[in-house]
Amino acid sequence: MISYPDDSVAIGVDIGGTKIRFGLVRSDGLIFHTLVLPTKAAEQRVMEQVYAGIEQILLVWENSLASHRLNGIGIGSAGQIDFLRGTVHFASELIPGYTATPVKDLVTQRFNLPVYIDNDVNVLALAESRFGAGMDCRNMVCLALGTGVGGAVIADGRLLHGVNGGAGEIGHMSVNMNGPACICGSYGCLEIYASGTGIFNRYQELTVLNIKKQATSANDVVERWLSGEMAARQVIEMTIAGLGAAIASLIHIFNPEVVVIGGGIAELGEPLFAPLRSRISTLAMPSMLEAVRIVPAELGGSSNMVGAAIQVWEYGM
Ligand SMILES: [Zn+2]
């Protein structure tokens, strides 16, 4: 890693299943301008939307911010991203036809600027390690709890990518080899216990005989848990047990300084983190536990976009 900031800017692009967020970001993380466009995933028009958004941001830069040198374009994207080749190695049906898209080459050819692309949780981890909860940490594990569970690992100052961009897929770490079957082929994956989808599904299964009791969403289950309801307690206790088992193993594998957890249920703060820390303290080796903080993510909704942009300085200079 080199040391920045300076006065230069980069374009950050955060590609999600429903919307794409664009921004003009200075090297210290300051956002000058943002723009959100729909992904148009069903129409398979993702790349057209990416071009349109970048063109609009470029106009803003030319008209009012051209005194700041523009260093390149950084992209964070849903799906398994092959960082070195700059391609989409695999994307689910959330974005049909996106698998195998050579995003880096396409955007480079079109705009003639340096381009970097990585998985959205990897760039989130980059942002948190530069400006957020993992600031100045060279060893960090990041979990993003959302519809699914995403993960990223920074080890000895470097983001781990693996052979084709799949490293850090913490959502598919099994925390219960006798657990329910997972879409990945394994059993009892963390995602089954800690994702919004998993929390909702497990609650519905538990209350299936009492239709009146069924929840309307994962948030609804969490609210019921906070108010002390029995079935919700059973579900969220399993969430904490699953997260605890996964994080204890990650601490044993990576010996990190910080574990940063963002999204979904993590936004609750202490009601989740207090029992989670106590669970981890019973599972992890004391010699490694003393070095690690387990904390919520600090950067808000633009963190993926900022992290995407930061790649330009992180790898490009
Ligand atoms: Zn799985």
Side-chain angles (χ1 to χ4, degrees), residues 159-190:
L159 253 173
L160 297 187
H161 291 104
V163 69
N164 53 28
E169 195 63 88
I170 296 170
H172 294 287
M173 175 174 187
S174 177
V175 290
N176 178 5
M177 65 183 190
N178 298 316
C182 179
I183 47 166
C184 71
S186 184
Y187 293 86
C189 289
L190 177 61

CSV table of all heavy atoms in Angstrom, one decimal, residues 159-190:
chain,number,residue,atom,x,y,z
A,159,LEU,N,-5.8,-7.4,0.4
A,159,LEU,CA,-7.1,-8.0,0.3
A,159,LEU,C,-6.9,-9.4,-0.4
A,159,LEU,O,-6.2,-9.5,-1.4
A,159,LEU,CB,-8.0,-7.2,-0.7
A,159,LEU,CG,-9.2,-6.4,-0.1
A,159,LEU,CD1,-9.7,-5.6,-1.2
A,159,LEU,CD2,-10.2,-7.3,0.5
A,160,LEU,N,-7.5,-10.4,0.2
A,160,LEU,CA,-7.4,-11.8,-0.4
A,160,LEU,C,-8.4,-11.9,-1.5
A,160,LEU,O,-9.6,-11.7,-1.3
A,160,LEU,CB,-7.6,-12.9,0.6
A,160,LEU,CG,-6.6,-12.9,1.8
A,160,LEU,CD1,-6.9,-14.2,2.6
A,160,LEU,CD2,-5.2,-12.9,1.3
A,161,HIS,N,-7.9,-12.4,-2.7
A,161,HIS,CA,-8.8,-12.6,-3.8
A,161,HIS,C,-9.0,-14.1,-4.2
A,161,HIS,O,-10.1,-14.5,-4.7
A,161,HIS,CB,-8.3,-11.9,-5.1
A,161,HIS,CG,-8.4,-10.4,-5.0
A,161,HIS,ND1,-7.4,-9.6,-4.7
A,161,HIS,CD2,-9.5,-9.6,-5.0
A,161,HIS,CE1,-7.8,-8.3,-4.6
A,161,HIS,NE2,-9.0,-8.3,-4.8
A,162,GLY,N,-8.0,-14.9,-3.9
A,162,GLY,CA,-8.0,-16.3,-4.3
A,162,GLY,C,-7.8,-16.5,-5.8
A,162,GLY,O,-7.5,-15.5,-6.5
A,163,VAL,N,-7.9,-17.7,-6.4
A,163,VAL,CA,-7.5,-18.0,-7.7
A,163,VAL,C,-8.5,-17.3,-8.8
A,163,VAL,O,-8.0,-16.9,-9.8
A,163,VAL,CB,-7.3,-19.5,-7.9
A,163,VAL,CG1,-8.7,-20.2,-7.9
A,163,VAL,CG2,-6.6,-19.7,-9.3
A,164,ASN,N,-9.8,-17.2,-8.4
A,164,ASN,CA,-10.6,-16.5,-9.4
A,164,ASN,C,-11.7,-15.6,-8.7
A,164,ASN,O,-12.8,-15.5,-9.1
A,164,ASN,CB,-11.3,-17.5,-10.4
A,164,ASN,CG,-12.0,-18.6,-9.6
A,164,ASN,OD1,-12.4,-18.4,-8.5
A,164,ASN,ND2,-12.2,-19.7,-10.3
A,165,GLY,N,-11.2,-15.0,-7.6
A,165,GLY,CA,-12.1,-14.0,-7.0
A,165,GLY,C,-13.0,-14.5,-5.9
A,165,GLY,O,-13.8,-13.7,-5.4
A,166,GLY,N,-12.9,-15.7,-5.6
A,166,GLY,CA,-13.9,-16.3,-4.7
A,166,GLY,C,-13.5,-16.3,-3.2
A,166,GLY,O,-14.3,-16.6,-2.3
A,167,ALA,N,-12.3,-15.8,-2.9
A,167,ALA,CA,-11.8,-15.8,-1.5
A,167,ALA,C,-12.7,-15.0,-0.6
A,167,ALA,O,-13.2,-14.0,-1.0
A,167,ALA,CB,-10.4,-15.4,-1.4
A,168,GLY,N,-12.8,-15.4,0.7
A,168,GLY,CA,-13.6,-14.6,1.6
A,168,GLY,C,-15.1,-14.8,1.5
A,168,GLY,O,-15.9,-14.0,2.0
A,169,GLU,N,-15.5,-15.9,0.9
A,169,GLU,CA,-17.0,-16.2,0.8
A,169,GLU,C,-17.5,-16.8,2.2
A,169,GLU,O,-17.8,-17.9,2.3
A,169,GLU,CB,-17.2,-17.2,-0.3
A,169,GLU,CG,-18.6,-17.3,-0.8
A,169,GLU,CD,-19.2,-16.1,-1.4
A,169,GLU,OE1,-19.1,-15.8,-2.6
A,169,GLU,OE2,-19.8,-15.3,-0.6
A,170,ILE,N,-17.5,-15.9,3.2
A,170,ILE,CA,-17.7,-16.3,4.5
A,170,ILE,C,-19.2,-16.8,4.7
A,170,ILE,O,-19.4,-17.6,5.6
A,170,ILE,CB,-17.4,-15.1,5.5
A,170,ILE,CG1,-15.9,-14.8,5.4
A,170,ILE,CG2,-17.7,-15.5,7.0
A,170,ILE,CD1,-15.5,-13.5,6.1
A,171,GLY,N,-20.1,-16.3,3.9
A,171,GLY,CA,-21.5,-16.7,4.0
A,171,GLY,C,-21.7,-18.2,3.8
A,171,GLY,O,-22.6,-18.8,4.3
A,172,HIS,N,-20.7,-18.8,3.1
A,172,HIS,CA,-20.8,-20.2,2.8
A,172,HIS,C,-19.8,-21.0,3.6
A,172,HIS,O,-19.3,-22.1,3.2
A,172,HIS,CB,-20.8,-20.5,1.3
A,172,HIS,CG,-22.0,-19.9,0.7
A,172,HIS,ND1,-23.2,-20.5,0.8
A,172,HIS,CD2,-22.2,-18.8,0.0
A,172,HIS,CE1,-24.2,-19.8,0.2
A,172,HIS,NE2,-23.6,-18.7,-0.3
A,173,MET,N,-19.4,-20.5,4.8
A,173,MET,CA,-18.6,-21.2,5.7
A,173,MET,C,-19.6,-22.0,6.5
A,173,MET,O,-20.6,-21.4,7.1
A,173,MET,CB,-17.9,-20.2,6.6
A,173,MET,CG,-17.1,-20.8,7.7
A,173,MET,SD,-16.2,-19.4,8.4
A,173,MET,CE,-15.2,-20.3,9.6
A,174,SER,N,-19.5,-23.3,6.6
A,174,SER,CA,-20.4,-24.1,7.4
A,174,SER,C,-20.2,-24.0,8.9
A,174,SER,O,-19.0,-24.0,9.3
A,174,SER,CB,-20.3,-25.6,7.0
A,174,SER,OG,-21.2,-26.4,7.8
A,175,VAL,N,-21.2,-23.7,9.6
A,175,VAL,CA,-21.1,-23.6,11.1
A,175,VAL,C,-21.9,-24.8,11.7
A,175,VAL,O,-22.0,-24.8,12.9
A,175,VAL,CB,-21.6,-22.2,11.6
A,175,VAL,CG1,-20.7,-21.1,11.2
A,175,VAL,CG2,-23.0,-21.9,11.1
A,176,ASN,N,-22.4,-25.7,10.9
A,176,ASN,CA,-23.2,-26.8,11.4
A,176,ASN,C,-23.2,-27.9,10.3
A,176,ASN,O,-24.1,-27.8,9.4
A,176,ASN,CB,-24.6,-26.3,11.8
A,176,ASN,CG,-25.4,-27.5,12.3
A,176,ASN,OD1,-25.0,-28.6,12.4
A,176,ASN,ND2,-26.7,-27.2,12.5
A,177,MET,N,-22.3,-28.8,10.4
A,177,MET,CA,-22.2,-29.8,9.3
A,177,MET,C,-23.5,-30.7,9.2
A,177,MET,O,-23.7,-31.4,8.2
A,177,MET,CB,-20.9,-30.6,9.3
A,177,MET,CG,-20.8,-31.5,10.5
A,177,MET,SD,-19.2,-32.3,10.5
A,177,MET,CE,-19.4,-33.5,11.8
A,178,ASN,N,-24.3,-30.7,10.3
A,178,ASN,CA,-25.5,-31.5,10.2
A,178,ASN,C,-26.7,-30.5,10.0
A,178,ASN,O,-27.9,-31.0,10.2
A,178,ASN,CB,-25.7,-32.2,11.6
A,178,ASN,CG,-24.6,-33.2,11.8
A,178,ASN,OD1,-24.3,-34.0,10.9
A,178,ASN,ND2,-24.1,-33.2,13.0
A,179,GLY,N,-26.5,-29.3,9.6
A,179,GLY,CA,-27.5,-28.4,9.4
A,179,GLY,C,-28.3,-28.5,8.1
A,179,GLY,O,-28.0,-29.5,7.3
A,180,PRO,N,-29.2,-27.6,7.8
A,180,PRO,CA,-30.0,-27.7,6.5
A,180,PRO,C,-29.1,-27.5,5.3
A,180,PRO,O,-28.1,-26.9,5.3
A,180,PRO,CB,-31.0,-26.5,6.7
A,180,PRO,CG,-30.8,-25.9,8.0
A,180,PRO,CD,-29.5,-26.4,8.6
A,181,ALA,N,-29.6,-28.1,4.2
A,181,ALA,CA,-28.9,-28.0,2.9
A,181,ALA,C,-28.8,-26.5,2.5
A,181,ALA,O,-29.8,-25.8,2.6
A,181,ALA,CB,-29.5,-28.8,1.8
A,182,CYS,N,-27.7,-26.1,1.9
A,182,CYS,CA,-27.6,-24.7,1.4
A,182,CYS,C,-27.5,-24.7,-0.1
A,182,CYS,O,-27.2,-25.7,-0.7
A,182,CYS,CB,-26.3,-24.1,2.0
A,182,CYS,SG,-26.0,-22.4,1.5
A,183,ILE,N,-27.8,-23.6,-0.7
A,183,ILE,CA,-27.8,-23.5,-2.2
A,183,ILE,C,-26.4,-23.8,-2.8
A,183,ILE,O,-26.3,-24.1,-3.9
A,183,ILE,CB,-28.3,-22.1,-2.7
A,183,ILE,CG1,-27.5,-21.0,-1.9
A,183,ILE,CG2,-29.8,-21.9,-2.6
A,183,ILE,CD1,-27.7,-19.6,-2.5
A,184,CYS,N,-25.4,-23.6,-2.0
A,184,CYS,CA,-24.0,-23.8,-2.5
A,184,CYS,C,-23.6,-25.3,-2.6
A,184,CYS,O,-22.6,-25.6,-3.2
A,184,CYS,CB,-23.0,-23.1,-1.6
A,184,CYS,SG,-22.8,-23.9,0.0
A,185,GLY,N,-24.4,-26.2,-2.0
A,185,GLY,CA,-24.1,-27.6,-2.0
A,185,GLY,C,-23.7,-28.1,-0.6
A,185,GLY,O,-23.7,-29.3,-0.3
A,186,SER,N,-23.3,-27.2,0.3
A,186,SER,CA,-22.9,-27.6,1.6
A,186,SER,C,-24.1,-27.6,2.6
A,186,SER,O,-25.3,-27.5,2.2
A,186,SER,CB,-21.8,-26.6,2.1
A,186,SER,OG,-21.3,-27.0,3.4
A,187,TYR,N,-23.8,-27.8,3.9
A,187,TYR,CA,-24.9,-27.9,4.9
A,187,TYR,C,-24.6,-26.9,6.0
A,187,TYR,O,-23.4,-26.7,6.4
A,187,TYR,CB,-25.0,-29.3,5.5
A,187,TYR,CG,-25.4,-30.3,4.5
A,187,TYR,CD1,-24.5,-30.9,3.6
A,187,TYR,CD2,-26.8,-30.6,4.3
A,187,TYR,CE1,-24.9,-31.8,2.6
A,187,TYR,CE2,-27.2,-31.5,3.3
A,187,TYR,CZ,-26.3,-32.1,2.5
A,187,TYR,OH,-26.7,-32.9,1.5
A,188,GLY,N,-25.6,-26.2,6.5
A,188,GLY,CA,-25.5,-25.4,7.7
A,188,GLY,C,-24.6,-24.2,7.5
A,188,GLY,O,-23.8,-23.8,8.4
A,189,CYS,N,-24.6,-23.6,6.3
A,189,CYS,CA,-23.8,-22.4,6.1
A,189,CYS,C,-24.2,-21.2,6.9
A,189,CYS,O,-25.4,-21.1,7.3
A,189,CYS,CB,-23.8,-22.0,4.6
A,189,CYS,SG,-23.0,-23.2,3.5
A,190,LEU,N,-23.2,-20.3,7.2
A,190,LEU,CA,-23.5,-19.2,8.1
A,190,LEU,C,-24.7,-18.4,7.5
A,190,LEU,O,-25.6,-17.9,8.2
A,190,LEU,CB,-22.3,-18.3,8.1
A,190,LEU,CG,-22.5,-16.9,8.9
A,190,LEU,CD1,-22.8,-17.2,10.3
A,190,LEU,CD2,-21.2,-16.1,8.8
